[in-house]
Amino acid sequence: MDCYIISQMNTRFLLSLLSIAFGFTSLVNAEEIQIGEKQYKAERLIERKIGPGTTYIRLRLPDYPLNVNLVTVDLNNPYNRIETTIANESAKGTESLVTAARRQDSDAHHPLAAANANFWVVGSQKEYPLYAGITRNASVRNGKMVTESNKNKEKWDGGTERTGVVTVSYDKTLNIDYCTPTLCFRDASSSKEKNIQTCNKGFQAKAYAMYNSFYGRDREFMPYAEVKDANGNKKFQLKEDVTDGIEVYLTMDEGEKWTGGDDIKFTVKEVKKNTNARGKLGDYDLAIVSFGGANQTLKEGDPVILKYYWTFDGNITPVVEQAIGGNAMVMRHGELTDHNYNEDYNSMVYSRTAYGCSEDGKTLYMLVIDKSTDPVYGKSAGCSTAVMCEIARHFGCYNMSNFDAGGSAELMVDFAIVNKTTESTPRNVANGWMVFSIAPEGDKTLASIEFDHPVISLSAGESFTPVILGYNQYGELINNNVTDFVLSCDPGIGKCNGKAFTAGKVPASGLLTATVNGISVSKAVDVAGGSGVEEIPLDIKSEVVEYYNISGVRCVKPETPGIYIRRAGNKVEKIIIN
């Protein structure tokens, strides 16, 4: 019987050595995330810069198990942009994120990533079918309101004082927090404001509604009453007998633009009274409609000011360019809120979508967690929002709002849904946030390179040829397989030959550097023990010797041929007996 000593290393490498010897997942460079009282190993399977200031990370927590997809966006970068994407540019209906991305792709406006956002009205709810496909909570695209924040008679899920709103301002600063919404209009010659109940939806008696192009220019307005069906359930029903409707049609003044948080000036162009309140927007920019005693004294030629804004906790009222709204603020100031536990939707095990921000409001987190089995990455059990928050906090998230999940939870990167949804085909959604590169078009000059490997961990003697990504001066990915690079490395970790690296024969850590046309990038490399490493005598005279078999179970001194681990104190070696 011959015994070959293959490697020796400190105790910190024991589990790594066992994994290499017996085929387990390597723990070298493993990241740990605290979830409740337990720490979970987290493997960064993908970490790739996909555009200016924008990074996509695929994370795997094998012991949970969870598949996590995360996009982070540095809003200090001048060459990215966040926009609310609206299904087919309509307040009513759904569209796939991939279709929406292709529809909005153009020179210097290239989609990088997107995720689903708001909840919307579905068949089991009282507003259906009148509001089918219409989002709940705030939705604003490029300054123009799509739907309001469900205040007044249509307050939803406790209102924005509970749900919060997610906004980005024209200076690219995020506000994600509890807030108070305001939506109103007034005659410019008066200080008396009148609250608007809904935007691009129906409206009840004694309330005002506003309509813009997102409603559709040829759709009739929707006066409604709340009634009970044959089973006693409340339903929204179109009101057919309105005779005192008032419809005011306006155009935006020259030089004005749609924006949240600032006055928008309009001029009344037409007033219709004693109608059925079911007119159409036509070619006008805005219509304000009412019935049942909500009187309007506006007349043709009157100047009108429209305002919609959100006052956040701390009396912050940003000038809003984009907005979406979830069902609950689940993390504030880096701490989990009670909303993680006080409703079933958040405390249940589920797939998840959330949007968060850093403390300075300059980093966006788009997070999607699966409850499915990915054909490549394996099972993902799903989780509560509390677990989601702890994962987000690990990456520096400070405030976070929970959004629609289930079959709607999906993340798009480079025109493809990258997570495994709960349905066989990714679901169409009502809206979402999309990240764009707005860098000047056509620059194909290589300015920087990156390794396309989150972690490089090799066995001793293992050969490795990395994949190198190439970027232009704006941070756009212009080459996903740079081939004309040359490698170099720190002494002691191995040897380089052109594009190939061969790990050394002893455990070591150091930098591997790729260079092309004078442009370089370095990446840490860990070399663990394995076949082909130098034999180093193990001093076991004063130590208790332990042996482990191929299953990783401690055993007596081996005599049967096979692979074993021998440990003496803080030193470990793999031996082969044949």
Side-chain angles (χ1 to χ4, degrees), residues 385-400:
T385 59
V387 171
M388 174 188 72
C389 287
E390 296 200 74
I391 294 171
R393 183 165 56 183
H394 174 81
F395 288 91
C397 186
Y398 189 69
N399 280 16
M400 176 162 277

Side-chain angles (χ1 to χ4, degrees), residues 38-55:
K38 186 175 179 180
Q39 288 214 337
Y40 287 88
K41 178 183 69 175
E43 301 167 350
R44 295 198 189 200
L45 304 179
I46 300 172
E47 185 171 10
R48 173 183 288 192
K49 295 178 182 177
I50 58 174
T54 307
T55 299

